[in-house]
Amino acid sequence: MSTHTHPGEEPVRFDTKIAVLLRDDLESWQRLNVTAFLVSGLGTTAPEVIGEPYEDADSVGYLPMFRQPVLVFEGTKETLTAAHGRALSRALPRAVFTSDLFATGNDRDNRAAVRAVPTADLDLVGLAVYGPRNAVDKVLKGARMHP
């Protein structure tokens, strides 16, 4: 989904893409957990991805969300490693989730677990990336849309 419409307006085409790449051997609960954690970092680094706050007909307010769809992909461990390298070489905003994070229970321990492992040795289970559509597409080469 690359367009969004409002009544009486032309569709909006985004020249950027938000994508999550998950390792294809994760359990369902892990896929959901990893996706939620990964996308949480993008709004703080790339505030332009956040839309306006929501409000219902009774004027009850809701938090703003991403202004564009988050596309979720899956791939092998090797696909994730290659995508990570391409994201780094293109200096795209990115977030990582490693297998070690399933055993930690808080933010401090999460950061320590990632810091303890050299870049080339990270056991990646998820990667979120944001940037120009064509650059993100190149990062995701070899991945497939999540079923």
Side-chain angles (χ1 to χ4, degrees), residues 120-147:
D121 297 333
L122 291 172
D123 185 17
L124 298 169
V125 297
L127 172 72
V129 60
Y130 168 72
R133 289 173 60 94
N134 60 347
V136 173
D137 288 343
K138 288 176 182 169
V139 165
L140 296 172
K141 183 180 178 193
R144 60 192 174 277
M145 287 296 291
H146 190 281

Side-chain angles (χ1 to χ4, degrees), residues 21-37:
L21 175 57
L22 301 172
R23 203 163 75 191
D24 58 7
D25 61 350
L26 297 179
E27 300 289 332
S28 292
W29 73 267
Q30 291 173 317
R31 292 170 188 259
L32 296 169
N33 183 266
V34 170
T35 300
F37 267 94

